[in-house]
Amino acid sequence: MEPKIDFMYLSEQDMIKAGVTDMKQCVDAIEEMFRLMKQGDYRMGGANGNSHGVMMSFPPHPKFPNMPKDGPDRRFMAMPAYLGGRFDMAGVKWYGSNVENRKKGLPRSILMLTLNDKDTGAPLAYMSANILSAYRTGAVPGVGFKYFAREDAKTVGIIGPGVMSKTAFDAAMAVRPGIETVRIKGSSLTSLSAQKFADRVRRKYPSVRNIEIVATEEEAVRDADIVEIATSSPTGDPSTYPYLDEAWLKPGAVVACPAAARFDDDFILNRARMVTDNIMLYEAWADEMPYPAYETIPIPAVHCMDLIHDGKMTRDQIDDLGDILVGNVPVHRKQDEIVIYSVGGMPTEDVAWGTVVYRNALKMGIGTRLNLWDQPALA
């Protein structure tokens, strides 16, 4: 091997040209990733190999004048992973997050993904990852919609019309193109985010004939075949998390929960079908976070870990998506079951989709080649 190392830099526009917004291809890549993970051909951070990432937060009252202080979404995080199969790639997503960014005209989070040679650690690519992360985040619910949603699904309910819900809706349209109605619950009937979501659907999906902005969660989910709930909710007090009553949910509905959501325990324990994207991720959170972990990580499957801790639930009451994909458990356990599908977010997703886009870019001659060194100075 020559000591010279070059790597590819891909800007956001480069990523778009290389196909990062191709949701159908993204859903396929993420489905393949889940199959590889169920086989065990992956690694993530932490001693358990399933950690979401390593987060650095700040104190509420720092002693040093230049140190940032804690605030909403004020953190840095590194999310490393290796994914095998045809991907065969190591990488790490790094992001800084600060809700105050919006006052500067910036996204709340700014993300970059580095892909590395699995053997040498040499960088292969350094890429803009905001859109990549948004699309892989939407594709994970998309795999669930592909398997659990009715084949003739017509109606989608959206609670929290932000970026996660936009790409989840893209994924729903990719796997269930017959959708005709979307009901959108924002912070109010006149919320700008709800209006923008509706405008985006009109522009991008003319086949969706009925677009409604509604006032309540119940209105959003009644008669919906697919529900996406992804609000920006403060953590700490689960009683304040967005709540869905079982009576509002249509038999056979699938509810994707990549953020805060709350259901009655009786429903969770006795009638809902609980599905995780990777149950070991939630077990890792349960190990890493103080009990009850649901106060820190507001995703329903984290609450299930707390119920298991309390002896009210057993692990075999939760199905893992990978087991369904490889045929270990049936796609549906009973007719008209309501699926609560918890989506936690994993760096394997970034590596999977980032690798596909990077290889697309190489084939298409997209990106800027940068030199790390011709000869390492300290070899």
Side-chain angles (χ1 to χ4, degrees):
M1 179 178 177
E2 292 185 6
K4 180 180 178 179
I5 292 177
D6 290 335
F7 63 96
M8 190 65 73
Y9 168 70
L10 295 168
S11 69
E12 186 168 87
Q13 284 303 310
D14 292 333
M15 296 290 285
I16 293 170
K17 292 176 185 175
V20 73
T21 61
D22 183 339
M23 182 54 83
K24 187 177 186 305
Q25 190 182 13
C26 187
V27 170
D28 290 344
I30 296 301
E31 180 176 345
E32 186 176 356
M33 176 211 75
F34 279 125
R35 294 178 189 274
L36 289 167
M37 291 185 70
K38 183 49 60 176
Q39 296 167 15
D41 197 2
Y42 77 100
R43 292 295 294 173
M44 296 195 294
N48 51 42
N50 279 284
S51 182
H52 177 71
V54 178
M55 185 167 71
M56 178 178 69
S57 56
F58 297 100
H61 306 289
K63 298 178 182 178
F64 304 96
N66 292 331
M67 181 178 287
K69 67 177 181 179
D70 191 27
D73 286 310
R74 187 73 177 98
R75 61 183 181 271
F76 288 98
M77 180 172 278
M79 300 172 65
Y82 165 79
L83 183 64
R86 73 176 174 96
F87 303 98
D88 199 25
M89 185 71 72
V92 61
K93 183 170 76 174
W94 170 258
Y95 75 82
S97 182
N98 186 356
V99 75
E100 295 294 314
N101 282 358
R102 299 199 181 281
K103 295 179 181 178
K104 301 176 182 179
L106 296 170
R108 184 201 69 191
S109 299
I110 298 175
L111 307 96
M112 299 296 295
L113 176 68
T114 304
L115 297 178
N116 299 83
D117 183 282
K118 66 173 184 179
D119 295 315
T120 67
L124 299 175
Y126 185 55
M127 60 181 67
S128 173
N130 275 55
I131 295 180
L132 180 143
S133 186
Y135 272 75
R136 68 75 154 157
T137 298
V140 176
V143 178
F145 301 154
K146 177 179 176 179
Y147 282 84
F148 303 126
R150 295 175 180 274
E151 291 288 342
D152 62 350
K154 293 289 189 291
T155 302
V156 174
I158 298 292
I159 300 172
V163 171
M164 283 195 289
S165 291
K166 287 175 182 173
T167 56
F169 186 77
D170 289 339
M173 292 300 298
V175 301
R176 293 293 184 271
I179 289 166
E180 297 175 350
T181 298
V182 58
R183 299 193 181 99
I184 308 157
K185 165 66 174 72
S187 57
S188 70
L189 282 171
T190 58
S191 77
L192 185 59
S193 61
Q195 295 288 345
K196 286 184 174 179
F197 193 101
D199 291 342
R200 183 178 187 269
V201 173
R202 288 189 193 98
R203 183 177 65 253
K204 194 168 183 179
Y205 301 106
S207 62
V208 179
R209 297 179 294 184
N210 307 305
I211 303 170
E212 305 171 31
I213 297 175
V214 299
T216 66
E217 285 83 0
E218 180 178 358
E219 290 175 281
V221 305
R222 282 253 182 220
D223 298 320
D225 301 295
I226 293 170
V227 175
E228 165 79 0
I229 178 167
T231 66
S232 297
S233 302
T235 58
D237 180 1
S239 69
T240 66
Y241 298 169
Y243 169 75
L244 296 185
D245 191 310
E246 176 186 1
W248 304 344
L249 298 171
K250 180 179 180 178
V254 54
V255 185
C257 304
R262 181 167 56 94
F263 303 85
D264 291 325
D265 284 357
D266 178 60
F267 176 45
I268 290 174
L269 293 170
N270 298 307
R271 289 174 300 283
R273 174 126 183 245
M274 302 301 297
V275 177
T276 58
D277 49 354
N278 174 19
I279 195 168
M280 290 186 286
L281 170 69
Y282 301 90
E283 291 173 334
W285 266 326
D287 288 340
E288 296 165 358
M289 299 296 173
Y291 169 85
Y294 188 46
E295 293 184 359
T296 306
I297 309 292
I299 300 170
V302 176
H303 181 51
C304 291
M305 294 299 113
D306 291 338
L307 291 172
I308 291 171
H309 175 276
D310 294 339
K312 297 177 180 179
M313 190 175 192
T314 60
R315 192 181 189 274
D316 62 9
Q317 289 178 265
I318 304 169
D319 283 330
D320 208 35
L321 181 64
D323 281 319
I324 294 161
L325 298 183
V326 302
N328 291 341
V329 298
V331 174
H332 291 290
R333 288 191 177 272
K334 60 184 179 181
Q335 190 174 7
D336 289 338
E337 65 188 1
I338 296 172
V339 175
I340 299 175
Y341 174 35
S342 288
V343 176
M346 298 177 288
T348 46
E349 298 157 15
D350 301 289
V351 170
W353 191 223
T355 298
V356 171
V357 177
Y358 161 62
R359 289 173 180 165
N360 287 347
L362 290 181
K363 291 176 185 175
M364 300 167 71
I366 293 169
T368 303
R369 187 165 292 280
L370 300 176
N371 177 251
L372 185 67
W373 60 54
D374 289 324
Q375 182 79 34
L378 293 176

